[in-house]
Amino acid sequence: MNTQITAPTEPDTGTVMRNSYMAALSLAETILSESTVIPSSFVIEVTEHAPADPIIRFYFHRDPAAVAEFADERWMNVSTETRNDGSVFTEAQGAPCRGVRVTAWALMPAEVIAAVVDGVAA
């Protein structure tokens, strides 16, 4: 009797990337259909050096309150950073969902913040 044990073959990078894109697209569809706030745009990233680690980045144009609401709906943590130029960057991150990392972000330029503080509509 002859027994031969073979290790399972790993899928090629292209297949893993395709599967990651499809998972991220499916999750983006679900999030957009359920969210009370709609982003200005979103980007799905899948890279060759991390083909099984897709990420969706939702962008809310100059709307940190929408980022906070989006994060609240998804149990995400929100952080805010004032940059050297006076702009304020708001970002939400949470645990991966269905193997996909999700972030949401907004950037308020310093001149917009100054205009709001001065009572001038931006």
Side-chain angles (χ1 to χ4, degrees), residues 34-95:
E34 296 174 350
S35 184
T36 60
V37 290
I38 301 300
S40 303
S41 64
F42 70 93
V43 174
I44 294 175
E45 295 177 10
V46 179
T47 61
E48 285 188 26
H49 69 274
D53 189 24
I55 184 167
I56 309 170
R57 299 181 195 281
F58 291 94
Y59 168 63
F60 294 87
H61 184 70
R62 296 182 179 180
D63 197 349
V67 172
E69 187 173 338
F70 183 88
D72 188 52
E73 293 174 352
R74 280 157 198 79
W75 299 80
M76 299 168 80
N77 297 316
V78 179
S79 63
T80 302
E81 169 192 335
T82 301
R83 296 183 168 176
N84 292 337
D85 65 358
S87 63
V88 177
F89 179 73
T90 304
E91 182 177 41
Q93 296 185 20

Tab-separated table of all heavy atoms in Angstrom, residues 34-95:
chain	number	residue	atom	x	y	z
A	34	GLU	N	-28.159	50.365	4.016
A	34	GLU	CA	-28.629	50.473	5.397
A	34	GLU	C	-28.307	51.800	6.078
A	34	GLU	O	-28.913	52.139	7.087
A	34	GLU	CB	-28.025	49.342	6.238
A	34	GLU	CG	-28.465	47.957	5.812
A	34	GLU	CD	-27.740	46.850	6.550
A	34	GLU	OE1	-26.747	47.134	7.268
A	34	GLU	OE2	-28.159	45.691	6.415
A	35	SER	N	-27.348	52.538	5.561
A	35	SER	CA	-26.860	53.741	6.236
A	35	SER	C	-27.857	54.892	6.157
A	35	SER	O	-28.522	55.092	5.144
A	35	SER	CB	-25.529	54.173	5.618
A	35	SER	OG	-25.019	55.283	6.326
A	36	THR	N	-27.927	55.672	7.229
A	36	THR	CA	-28.764	56.869	7.219
A	36	THR	C	-28.022	58.053	6.630
A	36	THR	O	-28.637	59.066	6.314
A	36	THR	CB	-29.234	57.224	8.645
A	36	THR	OG1	-28.086	57.467	9.458
A	36	THR	CG2	-30.077	56.111	9.237
A	37	VAL	N	-26.710	57.951	6.513
A	37	VAL	CA	-25.899	59.003	5.881
A	37	VAL	C	-25.197	58.399	4.669
A	37	VAL	O	-24.717	57.275	4.706
A	37	VAL	CB	-24.874	59.622	6.856
A	37	VAL	CG1	-25.561	60.453	7.913
A	37	VAL	CG2	-24.004	58.561	7.498
A	38	ILE	N	-25.170	59.156	3.593
A	38	ILE	CA	-24.579	58.662	2.357
A	38	ILE	C	-23.249	59.386	2.131
A	38	ILE	O	-23.195	60.627	2.162
A	38	ILE	CB	-25.530	58.898	1.161
A	38	ILE	CG1	-26.863	58.197	1.397
A	38	ILE	CG2	-24.897	58.433	-0.149
A	38	ILE	CD1	-26.765	56.689	1.582
A	39	PRO	N	-22.190	58.647	1.890
A	39	PRO	CA	-20.890	59.285	1.687
A	39	PRO	C	-20.817	60.020	0.348
A	39	PRO	O	-21.598	59.753	-0.570
A	39	PRO	CB	-19.917	58.103	1.713
A	39	PRO	CG	-20.729	56.945	1.243
A	39	PRO	CD	-22.114	57.190	1.773
A	40	SER	N	-19.863	60.923	0.248
A	40	SER	CA	-19.611	61.620	-1.013
A	40	SER	C	-19.029	60.651	-2.038
A	40	SER	O	-19.326	60.733	-3.222
A	40	SER	CB	-18.628	62.771	-0.797
A	40	SER	OG	-19.124	63.653	0.185
A	41	SER	N	-18.189	59.745	-1.546
A	41	SER	CA	-17.584	58.726	-2.402
A	41	SER	C	-17.016	57.622	-1.514
A	41	SER	O	-16.942	57.774	-0.296
A	41	SER	CB	-16.478	59.317	-3.281
A	41	SER	OG	-15.414	59.792	-2.481
A	42	PHE	N	-16.635	56.533	-2.160
A	42	PHE	CA	-15.917	55.500	-1.430
A	42	PHE	C	-14.928	54.827	-2.370
A	42	PHE	O	-15.080	54.850	-3.587
A	42	PHE	CB	-16.844	54.472	-0.757
A	42	PHE	CG	-17.572	53.555	-1.697
A	42	PHE	CD1	-17.043	52.308	-2.030
A	42	PHE	CD2	-18.800	53.916	-2.228
A	42	PHE	CE1	-17.728	51.460	-2.889
A	42	PHE	CE2	-19.487	53.071	-3.081
A	42	PHE	CZ	-18.950	51.835	-3.415
A	43	VAL	N	-13.888	54.260	-1.763
A	43	VAL	CA	-12.825	53.592	-2.502
A	43	VAL	C	-12.632	52.209	-1.897
A	43	VAL	O	-12.643	52.052	-0.675
A	43	VAL	CB	-11.497	54.390	-2.396
A	43	VAL	CG1	-10.342	53.638	-3.024
A	43	VAL	CG2	-11.644	55.763	-2.991
A	44	ILE	N	-12.464	51.239	-2.757
A	44	ILE	CA	-12.116	49.891	-2.305
A	44	ILE	C	-10.663	49.641	-2.692
A	44	ILE	O	-10.293	49.863	-3.842
A	44	ILE	CB	-13.034	48.830	-2.927
A	44	ILE	CG1	-14.458	49.022	-2.421
A	44	ILE	CG2	-12.533	47.416	-2.617
A	44	ILE	CD1	-15.480	48.124	-3.057
A	45	GLU	N	-9.871	49.209	-1.725
A	45	GLU	CA	-8.462	48.946	-1.978
A	45	GLU	C	-8.148	47.487	-1.689
A	45	GLU	O	-8.492	46.962	-0.631
A	45	GLU	CB	-7.582	49.825	-1.095
A	45	GLU	CG	-7.704	51.296	-1.377
A	45	GLU	CD	-6.870	52.149	-0.438
A	45	GLU	OE1	-6.030	51.606	0.323
A	45	GLU	OE2	-7.062	53.370	-0.451
A	46	VAL	N	-7.490	46.863	-2.642
A	46	VAL	CA	-6.950	45.514	-2.486
A	46	VAL	C	-5.577	45.555	-3.136
A	46	VAL	O	-5.461	45.945	-4.295
A	46	VAL	CB	-7.830	44.444	-3.169
A	46	VAL	CG1	-7.220	43.066	-3.005
A	46	VAL	CG2	-9.242	44.461	-2.613
A	47	THR	N	-4.558	45.193	-2.402
A	47	THR	CA	-3.205	45.295	-2.938
A	47	THR	C	-2.567	43.919	-3.121
A	47	THR	O	-2.964	42.947	-2.453
A	47	THR	CB	-2.307	46.125	-2.004
A	47	THR	OG1	-2.234	45.463	-0.729
A	47	THR	CG2	-2.867	47.529	-1.817
A	48	GLU	N	-1.582	43.851	-3.991
A	48	GLU	CA	-0.885	42.585	-4.235
A	48	GLU	C	-0.104	42.124	-3.012
A	48	GLU	O	0.045	40.920	-2.797
A	48	GLU	CB	0.054	42.716	-5.435
A	48	GLU	CG	-0.685	42.725	-6.750
A	48	GLU	CD	0.256	42.670	-7.946
A	48	GLU	OE1	1.375	42.145	-7.814
A	48	GLU	OE2	-0.162	43.152	-9.003
A	49	HIS	N	0.399	43.052	-2.202
A	49	HIS	CA	1.174	42.642	-1.027
A	49	HIS	C	0.280	42.211	0.139
A	49	HIS	O	0.763	41.598	1.091
A	49	HIS	CB	2.166	43.727	-0.598
A	49	HIS	CG	1.530	44.954	-0.031
A	49	HIS	ND1	1.103	45.987	-0.817
A	49	HIS	CD2	1.242	45.304	1.242
A	49	HIS	CE1	0.577	46.928	-0.051
A	49	HIS	NE2	0.643	46.532	1.198
A	50	ALA	N	-1.024	42.498	0.062
A	50	ALA	CA	-1.981	42.042	1.085
A	50	ALA	C	-3.306	41.728	0.401
A	50	ALA	O	-4.326	42.381	0.662
A	50	ALA	CB	-2.153	43.090	2.170
A	51	PRO	N	-3.326	40.725	-0.482
A	51	PRO	CA	-4.523	40.466	-1.289
A	51	PRO	C	-5.746	40.013	-0.501
A	51	PRO	O	-6.861	40.145	-0.974
A	51	PRO	CB	-4.065	39.382	-2.264
A	51	PRO	CG	-2.945	38.695	-1.565
A	51	PRO	CD	-2.260	39.768	-0.765
A	52	ALA	N	-5.549	39.515	0.701
A	52	ALA	CA	-6.671	39.032	1.510
A	52	ALA	C	-7.091	40.055	2.560
A	52	ALA	O	-7.815	39.720	3.501
A	52	ALA	CB	-6.298	37.711	2.176
A	53	ASP	N	-6.633	41.294	2.414
A	53	ASP	CA	-6.923	42.335	3.399
A	53	ASP	C	-7.571	43.551	2.719
A	53	ASP	O	-6.981	44.628	2.650
A	53	ASP	CB	-5.624	42.748	4.107
A	53	ASP	CG	-5.862	43.660	5.293
A	53	ASP	OD1	-6.975	43.635	5.858
A	53	ASP	OD2	-4.941	44.413	5.642
A	54	PRO	N	-8.806	43.394	2.216
A	54	PRO	CA	-9.457	44.519	1.529
A	54	PRO	C	-9.904	45.589	2.517
A	54	PRO	O	-10.133	45.320	3.698
A	54	PRO	CB	-10.659	43.862	0.855
A	54	PRO	CG	-10.985	42.701	1.730
A	54	PRO	CD	-9.654	42.199	2.243
A	55	ILE	N	-10.015	46.803	2.008
A	55	ILE	CA	-10.476	47.913	2.833
A	55	ILE	C	-11.418	48.789	2.002
A	55	ILE	O	-11.203	48.985	0.812
A	55	ILE	CB	-9.301	48.746	3.392
A	55	ILE	CG1	-9.800	49.829	4.333
A	55	ILE	CG2	-8.443	49.313	2.279
A	55	ILE	CD1	-8.705	50.472	5.161
A	56	ILE	N	-12.459	49.274	2.658
A	56	ILE	CA	-13.361	50.250	2.051
A	56	ILE	C	-13.178	51.548	2.825
A	56	ILE	O	-13.272	51.566	4.052
A	56	ILE	CB	-14.845	49.841	2.141
A	56	ILE	CG1	-15.075	48.434	1.627
A	56	ILE	CG2	-15.721	50.837	1.377
A	56	ILE	CD1	-16.478	47.906	1.920
A	57	ARG	N	-12.921	52.631	2.103
A	57	ARG	CA	-12.771	53.950	2.717
A	57	ARG	C	-13.926	54.844	2.242
A	57	ARG	O	-13.994	55.187	1.073
A	57	ARG	CB	-11.436	54.579	2.335
A	57	ARG	CG	-10.233	53.785	2.776
A	57	ARG	CD	-8.934	54.486	2.377
A	57	ARG	NE	-7.799	53.607	2.480
A	57	ARG	CZ	-7.162	53.291	3.592
A	57	ARG	NH1	-7.573	53.800	4.733
A	57	ARG	NH2	-6.135	52.474	3.579
A	58	PHE	N	-14.819	55.186	3.171
A	58	PHE	CA	-15.948	56.058	2.865
A	58	PHE	C	-15.544	57.496	3.178
A	58	PHE	O	-15.058	57.784	4.273
A	58	PHE	CB	-17.170	55.675	3.696
A	58	PHE	CG	-17.770	54.358	3.307
A	58	PHE	CD1	-17.420	53.184	3.964
A	58	PHE	CD2	-18.693	54.275	2.267
A	58	PHE	CE1	-17.970	51.968	3.593
A	58	PHE	CE2	-19.254	53.065	1.896
A	58	PHE	CZ	-18.883	51.911	2.563
A	59	TYR	N	-15.759	58.401	2.221
A	59	TYR	CA	-15.389	59.802	2.368
A	59	TYR	C	-16.642	60.672	2.483
A	59	TYR	O	-17.563	60.557	1.670
A	59	TYR	CB	-14.555	60.253	1.165
A	59	TYR	CG	-14.353	61.749	1.074
A	59	TYR	CD1	-13.653	62.423	2.068
A	59	TYR	CD2	-14.858	62.471	0.014
A	59	TYR	CE1	-13.473	63.801	1.996
A	59	TYR	CE2	-14.681	63.847	-0.076
A	59	TYR	CZ	-13.981	64.504	0.925
A	59	TYR	OH	-13.809	65.856	0.837
A	60	PHE	N	-16.662	61.527	3.502
A	60	PHE	CA	-17.754	62.469	3.714
A	60	PHE	C	-17.172	63.876	3.581
A	60	PHE	O	-16.434	64.332	4.451
A	60	PHE	CB	-18.384	62.258	5.103
A	60	PHE	CG	-19.071	60.938	5.239
A	60	PHE	CD1	-18.377	59.802	5.624
A	60	PHE	CD2	-20.425	60.821	4.967
A	60	PHE	CE1	-19.018	58.574	5.739
A	60	PHE	CE2	-21.081	59.598	5.080
A	60	PHE	CZ	-20.369	58.477	5.469
A	61	HIS	N	-17.491	64.539	2.485
A	61	HIS	CA	-16.907	65.842	2.164
A	61	HIS	C	-17.240	66.882	3.225
A	61	HIS	O	-18.411	67.262	3.387
A	61	HIS	CB	-17.396	66.309	0.792
A	61	HIS	CG	-16.764	67.583	0.340
A	61	HIS	ND1	-15.441	67.660	-0.018
A	61	HIS	CD2	-17.271	68.831	0.211
A	61	HIS	CE1	-15.164	68.896	-0.369
A	61	HIS	NE2	-16.259	69.627	-0.231
A	62	ARG	N	-16.231	67.288	3.947
A	62	ARG	CA	-16.344	68.351	4.966
A	62	ARG	C	-17.496	68.120	5.934
A	62	ARG	O	-18.194	69.052	6.335
A	62	ARG	CB	-16.487	69.717	4.304
A	62	ARG	CG	-15.277	70.113	3.500
A	62	ARG	CD	-15.435	71.485	2.902
A	62	ARG	NE	-14.228	71.838	2.150
A	62	ARG	CZ	-14.077	72.972	1.520
A	62	ARG	NH1	-15.032	73.881	1.535
A	62	ARG	NH2	-12.971	73.207	0.857
A	63	ASP	N	-17.707	66.869	6.317
A	63	ASP	CA	-18.863	66.543	7.163
A	63	ASP	C	-18.479	65.575	8.289
A	63	ASP	O	-18.850	64.395	8.262
A	63	ASP	CB	-19.976	65.959	6.300
A	63	ASP	CG	-21.327	65.980	6.996
A	63	ASP	OD1	-21.385	66.252	8.214
A	63	ASP	OD2	-22.323	65.716	6.310
A	64	PRO	N	-17.746	66.058	9.297
A	64	PRO	CA	-17.370	65.176	10.405
A	64	PRO	C	-18.566	64.648	11.188
A	64	PRO	O	-18.512	63.557	11.747
A	64	PRO	CB	-16.467	66.047	11.280
A	64	PRO	CG	-16.739	67.447	10.873
A	64	PRO	CD	-17.217	67.410	9.456
A	65	ALA	N	-19.684	65.383	11.201
A	65	ALA	CA	-20.883	64.896	11.892
A	65	ALA	C	-21.424	63.644	11.205
A	65	ALA	O	-21.893	62.716	11.868
A	65	ALA	CB	-21.949	65.980	11.940
A	66	ALA	N	-21.341	63.599	9.876
A	66	ALA	CA	-21.783	62.403	9.143
A	66	ALA	C	-20.868	61.222	9.442
A	66	ALA	O	-21.341	60.090	9.564
A	66	ALA	CB	-21.835	62.675	7.643
A	67	VAL	N	-19.575	61.485	9.588
A	67	VAL	CA	-18.642	60.407	9.959
A	67	VAL	C	-19.040	59.843	11.325
A	67	VAL	O	-19.091	58.629	11.510
A	67	VAL	CB	-17.182	60.907	9.985
A	67	VAL	CG1	-16.248	59.846	10.560
A	67	VAL	CG2	-16.733	61.318	8.591
A	68	ALA	N	-19.345	60.722	12.264
A	68	ALA	CA	-19.742	60.284	13.605
A	68	ALA	C	-21.030	59.465	13.563
A	68	ALA	O	-21.148	58.435	14.241
A	68	ALA	CB	-19.894	61.484	14.534
A	69	GLU	N	-21.999	59.903	12.764
A	69	GLU	CA	-23.256	59.167	12.647
A	69	GLU	C	-23.027	57.796	11.992
A	69	GLU	O	-23.548	56.781	12.440
A	69	GLU	CB	-24.270	59.963	11.838
A	69	GLU	CG	-25.648	59.339	11.808
A	69	GLU	CD	-26.683	60.220	11.135
A	69	GLU	OE1	-26.487	61.443	11.055
A	69	GLU	OE2	-27.709	59.663	10.693
A	70	PHE	N	-22.246	57.786	10.927
A	70	PHE	CA	-21.888	56.547	10.238
A	70	PHE	C	-21.212	55.580	11.218
A	70	PHE	O	-21.538	54.392	11.278
A	70	PHE	CB	-20.947	56.886	9.075
A	70	PHE	CG	-20.544	55.727	8.215
A	70	PHE	CD1	-21.319	55.355	7.125
A	70	PHE	CD2	-19.358	55.042	8.447
A	70	PHE	CE1	-20.937	54.310	6.299
A	70	PHE	CE2	-18.970	53.997	7.634
A	70	PHE	CZ	-19.762	53.628	6.566
A	71	ALA	N	-20.289	56.112	12.001
A	71	ALA	CA	-19.558	55.294	12.976
A	71	ALA	C	-20.486	54.753	14.055
A	71	ALA	O	-20.369	53.592	14.459
A	71	ALA	CB	-18.446	56.123	13.606
A	72	ASP	N	-21.400	55.583	14.511
A	72	ASP	CA	-22.340	55.160	15.546
A	72	ASP	C	-23.195	53.991	15.064
A	72	ASP	O	-23.468	53.054	15.819
A	72	ASP	CB	-23.219	56.336	15.964
A	72	ASP	CG	-24.086	56.010	17.162
A	72	ASP	OD1	-23.535	55.539	18.185
A	72	ASP	OD2	-25.313	56.213	17.068
A	73	GLU	N	-23.598	54.021	13.810
A	73	GLU	CA	-24.411	52.948	13.240
A	73	GLU	C	-23.647	51.626	13.155
A	73	GLU	O	-24.258	50.563	13.125
A	73	GLU	CB	-24.878	53.329	11.832
A	73	GLU	CG	-25.851	54.468	11.798
A	73	GLU	CD	-26.184	54.926	10.383
A	73	GLU	OE1	-25.554	54.460	9.415
A	73	GLU	OE2	-27.089	55.766	10.254
A	74	ARG	N	-22.341	51.708	13.094
A	74	ARG	CA	-21.516	50.514	12.897
A	74	ARG	C	-20.596	50.188	14.067
A	74	ARG	O	-19.685	49.408	13.919
A	74	ARG	CB	-20.675	50.690	11.627
A	74	ARG	CG	-21.493	50.398	10.436
A	74	ARG	CD	-20.996	51.041	9.173
A	74	ARG	NE	-22.108	51.029	8.233
A	74	ARG	CZ	-23.110	51.891	8.254
A	74	ARG	NH1	-23.128	52.865	9.116
A	74	ARG	NH2	-24.103	51.801	7.406
A	75	TRP	N	-20.803	50.813	15.179
A	75	TRP	CA	-20.004	50.551	16.374
A	75	TRP	C	-18.514	50.762	16.103
A	75	TRP	O	-17.672	49.944	16.461
A	75	TRP	CB	-20.252	49.138	16.905
A	75	TRP	CG	-21.666	48.890	17.308
A	75	TRP	CD1	-22.705	48.591	16.483
A	75	TRP	CD2	-22.215	48.961	18.612
A	75	TRP	NE1	-23.865	48.465	17.185
A	75	TRP	CE2	-23.590	48.678	18.519
A	75	TRP	CE3	-21.676	49.235	19.856
A	75	TRP	CZ2	-24.421	48.672	19.612
A	75	TRP	CZ3	-22.514	49.209	20.955
A	75	TRP	CH2	-23.861	48.930	20.822
A	76	MET	N	-18.208	51.853	15.432
A	76	MET	CA	-16.828	52.185	15.098
A	76	MET	C	-16.315	53.266	16.056
A	76	MET	O	-17.098	54.041	16.601
A	76	MET	CB	-16.739	52.695	13.655
A	76	MET	CG	-17.190	51.687	12.617
A	76	MET	SD	-17.398	52.410	10.966
A	76	MET	CE	-15.700	52.456	10.421
A	77	ASN	N	-15.010	53.313	16.240
A	77	ASN	CA	-14.373	54.339	17.057
A	77	ASN	C	-14.035	55.541	16.191
A	77	ASN	O	-13.536	55.381	15.078
A	77	ASN	CB	-13.093	53.802	17.704
A	77	ASN	CG	-13.381	52.666	18.649
A	77	ASN	OD1	-14.316	52.728	19.432
A	77	ASN	ND2	-12.584	51.621	18.581
A	78	VAL	N	-14.274	56.734	16.720
A	78	VAL	CA	-13.999	57.974	15.986
A	78	VAL	C	-12.838	58.698	16.647
A	78	VAL	O	-12.780	58.812	17.866
A	78	VAL	CB	-15.242	58.898	15.972
A	78	VAL	CG1	-14.941	60.196	15.241
A	78	VAL	CG2	-16.430	58.186	15.347
A	79	SER	N	-11.918	59.177	15.817
A	79	SER	CA	-10.821	60.002	16.318
A	79	SER	C	-10.770	61.289	15.492
A	79	SER	O	-11.154	61.317	14.337
A	79	SER	CB	-9.487	59.261	16.232
A	79	SER	OG	-9.163	58.970	14.889
A	80	THR	N	-10.305	62.344	16.143
A	80	THR	CA	-10.181	63.643	15.492
A	80	THR	C	-8.778	64.158	15.740
A	80	THR	O	-8.263	64.072	16.858
A	80	THR	CB	-11.214	64.638	16.055
A	80	THR	OG1	-12.519	64.086	15.857
A	80	THR	CG2	-11.141	65.978	15.360
A	81	GLU	N	-8.178	64.696	14.684
A	81	GLU	CA	-6.809	65.203	14.779
A	81	GLU	C	-6.744	66.579	14.123
A	81	GLU	O	-7.162	66.750	12.977
A	81	GLU	CB	-5.865	64.240	14.046
A	81	GLU	CG	-4.472	64.748	13.840
A	81	GLU	CD	-3.682	63.877	12.863
A	81	GLU	OE1	-3.997	62.689	12.706
A	81	GLU	OE2	-2.754	64.418	12.249
A	82	THR	N	-6.222	67.549	14.865
A	82	THR	CA	-5.967	68.858	14.278
A	82	THR	C	-4.552	68.827	13.722
A	82	THR	O	-3.598	68.535	14.443
A	82	THR	CB	-6.113	69.981	15.318
A	82	THR	OG1	-7.444	69.925	15.846
A	82	THR	CG2	-5.862	71.336	14.699
A	83	ARG	N	-4.438	69.112	12.461
A	83	ARG	CA	-3.144	69.054	11.783
A	83	ARG	C	-2.391	70.371	11.915
A	83	ARG	O	-2.958	71.379	12.339
A	83	ARG	CB	-3.348	68.682	10.321
A	83	ARG	CG	-3.928	67.283	10.195
A	83	ARG	CD	-4.079	66.863	8.787
A	83	ARG	NE	-4.372	65.421	8.738
A	83	ARG	CZ	-4.628	64.785	7.628
A	83	ARG	NH1	-4.619	65.413	6.459
A	83	ARG	NH2	-4.880	63.496	7.658
A	84	ASN	N	-1.123	70.354	11.549
A	84	ASN	CA	-0.274	71.540	11.664
A	84	ASN	C	-0.816	72.736	10.890
A	84	ASN	O	-0.621	73.879	11.300
A	84	ASN	CB	1.151	71.229	11.192
A	84	ASN	CG	1.863	70.273	12.121
A	84	ASN	OD1	1.503	70.154	13.299
A	84	ASN	ND2	2.864	69.582	11.626
A	85	ASP	N	-1.508	72.487	9.793
A	85	ASP	CA	-2.042	73.590	8.983
A	85	ASP	C	-3.384	74.108	9.512
A	85	ASP	O	-3.991	74.994	8.921
A	85	ASP	CB	-2.174	73.176	7.521
A	85	ASP	CG	-3.192	72.060	7.295
A	85	ASP	OD1	-3.784	71.565	8.279
A	85	ASP	OD2	-3.393	71.679	6.131
A	86	GLY	N	-3.874	73.530	10.616
A	86	GLY	CA	-5.137	73.960	11.207
A	86	GLY	C	-6.346	73.187	10.722
A	86	GLY	O	-7.447	73.363	11.248
A	87	SER	N	-6.177	72.325	9.727
A	87	SER	CA	-7.298	71.506	9.265
A	87	SER	C	-7.586	70.422	10.306
A	87	SER	O	-6.729	70.066	11.112
A	87	SER	CB	-6.985	70.874	7.907
A	87	SER	OG	-5.878	70.001	8.000
A	88	VAL	N	-8.809	69.916	10.276
A	88	VAL	CA	-9.221	68.886	11.234
A	88	VAL	C	-9.614	67.630	10.463
A	88	VAL	O	-10.510	67.667	9.612
A	88	VAL	CB	-10.381	69.375	12.127
A	88	VAL	CG1	-10.842	68.263	13.064
A	88	VAL	CG2	-9.954	70.601	12.923
A	89	PHE	N	-8.944	66.530	10.790
A	89	PHE	CA	-9.177	65.237	10.154
A	89	PHE	C	-9.971	64.365	11.117
A	89	PHE	O	-9.570	64.173	12.263
A	89	PHE	CB	-7.835	64.572	9.821
A	89	PHE	CG	-7.961	63.214	9.190
A	89	PHE	CD1	-8.384	63.062	7.884
A	89	PHE	CD2	-7.633	62.071	9.911
A	89	PHE	CE1	-8.494	61.808	7.297
A	89	PHE	CE2	-7.735	60.816	9.342
A	89	PHE	CZ	-8.161	60.684	8.027
A	90	THR	N	-11.113	63.861	10.665
A	90	THR	CA	-11.952	62.984	11.469
A	90	THR	C	-11.987	61.627	10.795
A	90	THR	O	-12.203	61.539	9.585
A	90	THR	CB	-13.382	63.534	11.588
A	90	THR	OG1	-13.323	64.853	12.132
A	90	THR	CG2	-14.250	62.658	12.470
A	91	GLU	N	-11.757	60.567	11.582
A	91	GLU	CA	-11.735	59.220	11.013
A	91	GLU	C	-12.436	58.242	11.952
A	91	GLU	O	-12.310	58.344	13.165
A	91	GLU	CB	-10.303	58.754	10.778
A	91	GLU	CG	-10.207	57.381	10.131
A	91	GLU	CD	-8.781	56.968	9.834
A	91	GLU	OE1	-7.895	57.217	10.678
A	91	GLU	OE2	-8.561	56.406	8.760
A	92	ALA	N	-13.166	57.311	11.353
A	92	ALA	CA	-13.819	56.237	12.114
A	92	ALA	C	-13.246	54.909	11.640
A	92	ALA	O	-13.061	54.703	10.435
A	92	ALA	CB	-15.319	56.266	11.889
A	93	GLN	N	-12.969	54.028	12.604
A	93	GLN	CA	-12.468	52.690	12.291
A	93	GLN	C	-13.130	51.692	13.229
A	93	GLN	O	-13.466	52.028	14.358
A	93	GLN	CB	-10.955	52.608	12.486
A	93	GLN	CG	-10.169	53.484	11.554
A	93	GLN	CD	-8.672	53.279	11.714
A	93	GLN	OE1	-8.213	52.268	12.230
A	93	GLN	NE2	-7.904	54.251	11.269
A	94	GLY	N	-13.269	50.486	12.747
A	94	GLY	CA	-13.835	49.429	13.566
A	94	GLY	C	-13.203	48.100	13.238
A	94	GLY	O	-12.294	48.015	12.404
A	95	ALA	N	-13.703	47.062	13.868
A	95	ALA	CA	-13.215	45.714	13.597
A	95	ALA	C	-13.644	45.313	12.182
A	95	ALA	O	-14.674	45.765	11.691
A	95	ALA	CB	-13.800	44.732	14.621
